[in-house]
């Protein structure tokens, strides 16, 4: 929205001028974005490929004097938590401007076969499966602790992004839209973000979505920011009819989610991903997992499979580093993966139950299914902040009062979710109904206390 006459010199006019400057900069400097992509690609390759060639870090080494630990800190202490957190302010700017993987896939597609992505790949559940598989594999191989699994996971996804690019739709990012393990998560959290591209772009003689937007957004009908990677290709600072970069209040899209293409898959993924992430922390820190593993071990012994579960496997399916004193066996492999799937299913069932109960108490003209999807997004802020603080252990722990900071952040995430529940329910019913609010508050408190136990 442009500032109306009479508002010149106000804060709004200043903000709008800044937004237009940013838009003008990125639309006129595409060469710079390309250079950034290649620089990021080479940094990524160095950080990924050098550590496996170096000896295992001695115990007294730190990120300041050891390259392996330095690279590990950049990946897990900075990159992962900050990319997720940045969605609140910058949306998916990481994807469009910085991510080497998505860029490689797009550049490769220009030279590739240009096939249409098959229907199974375009299924909304595909990125969910990709996330679940990569998250569990990452835990089994110790991706946060050892360099070789980093090559396996990040290098592997890079190669798959390249192959996807070479196979499918020229000039597009089939990988980012349908396969990237974190694309869906970034998409949901970008709905909380302050940045959006607005407008309707219909170009004469072509289907805008087919040729212009790398993530297949129909620019003549764009509503939500979930698939927008902020590549600025649809914006043109010289053309007032092009899409425009705009700012909005954080959380605004989710407060009015019914007008922004709500998705059942996204909500189910949000519930399940929270549980899966929790499982990844619980198996490492909770006696619950030890009890589960012992019960599983006894069951295998009763079946006469003691020999099998005691064996260890290759490093690319499970942790196997005798030099670091850590070797998994098949019992660990089965225990960790099933435990994480169980926590995922439990969170999915628990949050679904609360949301269903809430929809039943709401009434109104919408179908129960529509209400369920809208209300499910309430958990996005608390999930985002919990995952960031959980994964960002390397970032928070060296800070003074790091644990207190994590506690404060999670509490803020919970308050944001509570506020979101109030806004969505009030918008839907015209007033703040107590029963659904209490139901969602109990869900949020349960999530927060589950996270507190393992990360604060
Ligand atoms: S969707 Fe994934 S691969 Fe694509 S740009 Fe974003 S993070 Fe990178
Ligand atoms: S909507 Fe525009 S900025 Fe967003 S991904 Fe598509 S072309 Fe890029």
């Amino acid at each position: 929205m442009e500032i109306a006459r009479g508002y010149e010199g106000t804060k709004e006019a200043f903000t709008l001028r800044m937004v237009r400057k940013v838009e003008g900069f990125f639309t006129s400097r595409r060469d710079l974005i390309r250079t950034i992509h290649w620089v990021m690609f080479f940094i990524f390759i160095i950080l990924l490929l050098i550590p496996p060639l170096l000896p295992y870090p001695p115990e007294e080494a730190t990120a300041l004097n050891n390259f392996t630990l330095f690279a590990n800190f950049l990946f897990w202490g900075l990159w992962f938590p900050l990319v997720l957190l940045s969605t609140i302010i910058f949306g998916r700017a990481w994807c469009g401007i910085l991510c080497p993987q998505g860029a490689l896939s797009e550049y490769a597609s220009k030279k590739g076969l240009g096939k249409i992505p098959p229907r199974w790949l375009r299924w909304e559940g595909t990125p969910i499966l990709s996330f679940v598989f990569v998250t569990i594999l990452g835990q089994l191989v110790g991706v946060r602790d050892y360099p070789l699994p980093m090559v396996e996971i990040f290098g592997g996804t890079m190669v798959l992004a390249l192959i996807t690019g070479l196979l499918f739709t020229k000039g597009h990012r089939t990988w980012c839209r349908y396969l990237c393990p974190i694309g869906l998560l970034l998409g949901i959290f970008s709905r909380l973000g302050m940045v959006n591209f607005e407008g309707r772009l219909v170009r004469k003689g072509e289907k805008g979505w087919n040729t212009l937007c790398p993530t297949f957004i129909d620019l003549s009908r764009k509503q939500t920011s979930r698939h927008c990677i902020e590549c600025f290709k649809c914006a043109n600072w010289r053309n007032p009819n092009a899409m425009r970069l705009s700012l909005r209040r954080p959380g605004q899209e989710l407060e009015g989610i019914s007008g922004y293409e709500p998705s059942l898959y996204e909500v189910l993924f949000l519930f399940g991903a929270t549980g899966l992430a929790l499982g990844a922390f619980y198996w490492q820190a909770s006696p619950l997992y030890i009890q589960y593993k012992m019960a599983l071990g006894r069951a295998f012994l009763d079946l006469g499979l003691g020999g099998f579960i005691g064996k260890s496997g290759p490093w690319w399916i499970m942790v196997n580093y005798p030099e670091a004193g850590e070797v998994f066996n098949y019992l660990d492999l089965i225990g960790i993966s099933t435990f994480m799937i169980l926590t995922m299913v439990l969170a999915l069932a628990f949050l679904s139950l609360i949301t269903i109960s809430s929809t039943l108490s709401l009434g109104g003209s919408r179908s129960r299914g529509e209400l369920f999807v809208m209300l499910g997004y309430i958990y996005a802020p608390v999930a985002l902040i919990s995952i960031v603080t959980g994964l960002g252990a390397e970032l928070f722990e060296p800070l003074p009062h790091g644990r207190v900071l994590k506690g404060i952040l999670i509490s803020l995430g919970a308050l944001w979710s509570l506020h979101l529940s109030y806004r969505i329910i009030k918008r839907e019913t015209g007033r703040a109904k107590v029963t659904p609010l209490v139901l969602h508050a109990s869900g949020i408190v349960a999530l927060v206390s589950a996270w507190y136990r393992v990360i604060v």
Side-chain angles (χ1 to χ4, degrees):
M1 37 58 263
E2 300 301 323
I3 293 292
R5 206 180 275 265
Y7 280 79
E8 297 89 351
T10 60
K11 204 168 81 189
E12 286 83 358
F14 174 76
T15 310
L16 187 68
R17 251 200 331 274
M18 289 298 113
V19 170
R20 290 292 156 261
K21 270 190 195 303
V22 173
E23 187 183 276
F25 178 78
F26 282 112
T27 49
S28 58
R29 296 299 313 272
R30 297 209 190 285
D31 54 330
L32 180 68
I33 298 185
R34 258 193 307 276
T35 309
I36 295 174
H37 285 153
W38 286 114
V39 170
M40 290 296 289
F41 178 77
F42 287 113
I43 294 177
F44 179 84
I45 293 293
I46 290 169
L47 291 177
L48 205 60
L49 296 187
I50 294 205
L53 305 174
L54 301 174
Y56 191 74
E59 230 165 67
E60 65 285 358
T62 69
L64 295 176
N65 59 20
N66 183 284
F67 188 79
T68 303
L69 296 182
F70 172 71
N72 188 283
F73 176 76
L74 286 189
F75 270 107
W76 298 111
L78 290 183
W79 170 73
F80 209 69
L82 292 187
V83 164
L84 290 178
L85 204 57
S86 71
T87 52
I88 298 175
I89 297 177
F90 303 114
R92 294 180 68 175
W94 159 265
C95 291
I97 299 171
L98 293 164
C99 179
Q101 203 169 88
L104 183 71
S105 188
E106 184 181 334
Y107 297 152
S109 76
K110 290 180 183 164
K111 310 267 177 218
L113 300 176
K115 288 174 181 281
I116 303 223
R119 190 183 286 267
W120 64 264
L121 203 149
R122 286 181 280 138
W123 177 53
E124 283 216 62
T126 310
I128 301 181
L129 296 179
S130 167
F131 176 83
V132 172
F133 176 75
V134 169
T135 308
I136 293 178
L137 180 65
Q139 290 297 307
L140 294 175
V141 296
V143 70
R144 287 175 70 97
D145 299 318
Y146 302 102
L148 271 176
M150 295 267 289
V151 178
E152 179 184 8
I153 302 280
F154 290 101
T157 48
M158 183 70 100
V159 171
L160 286 176
L162 176 71
I163 295 172
T164 311
L166 287 172
L167 286 177
F168 301 116
T169 336
K170 284 187 187 285
H172 285 71
R173 296 192 181 197
T174 304
W175 170 261
C176 299
R177 172 75 189 248
Y178 301 114
L179 281 166
C180 173
I182 60 164
L184 189 53
L185 206 57
L186 291 172
I188 296 176
F189 294 150
S190 76
R191 285 178 178 276
L192 287 167
M194 289 175 67
V195 176
N196 192 21
F197 278 80
E198 286 182 339
R200 298 273 170 269
L201 187 62
V202 185
R203 299 201 305 178
K204 224 174 165 189
E206 66 177 33
K207 289 177 184 167
W209 68 275
N210 236 342
T211 57
L212 193 59
C213 178
T215 51
F216 307 92
I217 296 172
D218 180 349
L219 296 174
S220 63
R221 292 190 298 146
K222 178 179 180 296
Q223 291 176 315
T224 165
S225 57
R226 64 187 280 223
H227 297 304
C228 175
I229 55 166
E230 289 165 36
C231 66
F232 286 85
K233 284 188 179 159
C234 59
N236 181 346
W237 62 290
R238 290 180 218 265
N239 178 0
N241 295 324
M243 306 287 282
R244 313 291 337 227
L245 176 66
S246 67
L247 290 186
R248 55 189 182 178
R249 198 164 25 83
Q252 195 175 324
E253 179 166 329
L254 290 191
E255 286 170 21
I257 186 66
S258 59
Y260 294 96
E261 297 173 13
S263 154
L264 175 64
Y265 283 93
E266 269 190 349
V267 166
L268 296 180
F269 171 70
L270 184 65
F271 292 175
T274 311
L276 196 70
L278 266 171
F281 287 91
Y282 267 78
W283 83 256
Q284 295 174 69
S286 161
L288 256 181
Y289 172 69
I290 306 292
Q291 287 163 11
Y292 172 74
K293 187 175 144 185
M294 283 167 62
L296 205 60
R298 277 195 296 274
F300 276 114
L301 285 176
D302 291 346
L303 289 170
L305 292 170
F308 165 69
I309 57 168
K311 280 189 192 148
S312 58
W315 65 267
W316 46 272
I317 57 166
M318 68 178 83
V319 167
N320 194 341
Y321 302 94
E323 67 278 22
E326 197 176 14
V327 177
F328 284 0
N329 54 28
Y330 280 94
L331 179 61
D332 291 308
L333 182 139
I334 297 165
I336 293 167
S337 46
T338 52
F339 184 78
M340 286 178 67
I341 289 170
L342 270 175
T343 54
M344 178 178 79
V345 172
L346 269 178
L348 183 63
F350 174 70
L351 293 176
S352 297
L353 202 67
I354 289 198
T355 311
I356 290 170
S357 314
S358 164
T359 59
L360 294 176
S361 69
L362 263 189
S365 56
R366 279 188 209 280
S367 73
R368 301 279 172 233
E370 281 176 313
L371 280 175
F372 176 87
V373 176
M374 286 168 55
L375 294 168
Y377 286 99
I378 284 170
Y379 300 96
V382 67
L384 167 65
I385 305 293
S386 310
I387 292 173
V388 166
T389 44
L391 290 173
E394 286 94 338
L395 179 66
F396 291 101
E397 248 126 60
L399 298 176
H401 310 298
R403 292 169 79 88
V404 178
L405 189 63
K406 284 200 279 187
I408 292 173
L409 280 175
I410 295 182
S411 307
L412 287 176
L415 286 176
W416 192 359
S417 275
L418 282 173
H419 175 71
L420 191 58
S421 67
Y422 170 80
R423 297 294 285 244
I424 295 180
I425 290 167
K426 187 146 185 246
R427 192 182 273 247
E428 223 21 62
T429 59
R431 65 195 172 91
K433 277 196 161 186
V434 176
T435 313
L437 279 175
V438 171
L439 280 166
H440 289 295
S442 62
I444 293 163
V445 169
L447 266 190
V448 167
S449 47
W451 277 105
Y452 256 79
R453 290 166 70 102
V454 276
I455 60 175
V456 178

